[in-house]
């Protein structure tokens, strides 16, 4: 596994999270996302950071691998944080220049939003992609959405598309790096020049990347047809999913974490505004 490209990749292991039922992991990931959005002050985020550290320790996945997966998204995280610095107003004015006002509350708000995005990436990655295989994730998502199949919704096809998309994220990122290295060897420059020049320099990357993506999609479709894939109707599974007591315990712990975050919100301090 390429340690620099980890988003969407499965890391083999035998931890408690690896052994969990994929349905329970999907539910726990959704609950964890809700808990992250419940946090409103510094105390809640300290508890969330502690829970994220505990998740990393329990999963057995090195923290450096998880942190490296944040590198491709750092620009989005920083851009979102900077926008919120200038967006939010408060009572403590730090900088006033022309029409620009920067408040202490705005800086705190930006830091907490950036931290919230990082916690979202860590929590969802550990619960789902890092500790769950593509097949298990497909089966778990399909069974959770099974009631919607009675409404004639394409549940199996939706689950398959979601898991294939997650599976091919690292493949496409790796393909992008290969194309960039090939273009750099031919004299391409992606780090200097004006914004318009850098945008034009991306054209030699995007065109072969789209061609490669469509080629991979066509090869995958051909491979599925050769194996007589016809969808979820009448399909059997080699491994039947069984929920364990530990699965329910993990979900209850996430709910307890949410309750603790709500209680900590009552302590006041800097609060996160939207």
């Amino acid at each position: 596994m390429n340690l620099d490209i980890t988003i969407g990749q499965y890391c083999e292991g035998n931890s408690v999270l690896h052994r969990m039922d994929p349905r329970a992991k999907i539910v726990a990931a959704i609950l964890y996302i809700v808990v992250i959005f419940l946090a409103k002050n510094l105390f809640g985020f300290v508890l969330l950071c502690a829970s994220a550290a505990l998740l990393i320790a329990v999963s057995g996945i090195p923290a450096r691998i998880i942190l490296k997966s944040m590198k491709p998204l750092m620009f989005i995280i920083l851009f979102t944080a900077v926008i919120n610095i200038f967006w939010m107003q408060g009572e403590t004015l730090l900088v006033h220049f022309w029409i620009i006002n920067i408040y202490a509350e705005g800086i705190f708000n930006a830091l907490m939003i950036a931290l919230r995005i990082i916690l979202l990436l860590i929590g969802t990655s550990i619960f789902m992609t890092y500790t769950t295989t593509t097949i298990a994730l497909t089966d778990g998502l399909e069974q959770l959405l099974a009631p919607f199949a009675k409404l004639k919704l394409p549940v199996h096809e939706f689950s398959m598309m979601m898991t294939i998309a997650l599976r091919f994220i690292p493949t496409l990122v790796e393909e992008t790096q290969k194309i960039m290295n090939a273009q750099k060897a031919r004299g391409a420059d992606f780090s200097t020049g004006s914004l318009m020049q850098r945008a034009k320099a991306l054209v030699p990357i995007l065109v072969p990347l789209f061609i490669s993506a469509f080629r991979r999609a066509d090869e995958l479709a051909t491979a599925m047809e050769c194996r007589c894939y016809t969808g979820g109707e009448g399909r059997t599974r080699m491994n039947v999913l069984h929920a364990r007591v530990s699965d329910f315990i993990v979900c209850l712990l996430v709910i307890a974490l949410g309750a603790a975050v709500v209680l900590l919100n009552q302590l006041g301090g800097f609060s996160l505004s939207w």
Side-chain angles (χ1 to χ4, degrees), residues 176 179-180 183-184 188-192 194-210:
T176 303
I179 295 173
M180 290 183 66
Q183 296 294 349
K184 287 180 181 178
D189 186 6
F190 304 107
S191 58
T192 61
S194 63
L195 183 62
M196 186 61 66
Q197 290 174 335
R198 293 187 184 185
K200 290 181 179 179
L202 292 177
V203 175
I205 298 177
L206 296 177
V207 173
L209 181 62
F210 275 105

Side-chain angles (χ1 to χ4, degrees), residues 30-39 48 254-255 257-259 261:
I30 295 173
L31 292 174
Y32 193 73
I33 292 173
V34 173
V35 171
I36 291 174
F37 280 96
L38 288 176
L48 287 175
V254 177
I255 295 174
L257 175 65
V261 168

Side-chain angles (χ1 to χ4, degrees), residues 143-202:
Q143 291 194 22
L144 285 176
L145 299 177
F148 294 98
K150 297 180 180 179
L151 301 176
K152 304 299 181 181
L153 295 178
V155 171
H156 175 77
E157 287 73 12
F158 173 76
S159 303
M160 181 64 69
M161 286 190 298
M162 289 288 293
T163 49
I164 288 177
L166 288 173
R167 167 60 185 83
F168 274 92
I169 288 175
T171 303
L172 292 178
V173 173
E174 188 174 7
E175 189 75 21
T176 303
Q177 287 189 346
K178 289 181 179 178
I179 295 173
M180 290 183 66
N181 292 335
Q183 296 294 349
K184 287 180 181 178
R186 293 172 172 82
D189 186 6
F190 304 107
S191 58
T192 61
S194 63
L195 183 62
M196 186 61 66
Q197 290 174 335
R198 293 187 184 185
K200 290 181 179 179
L202 292 177

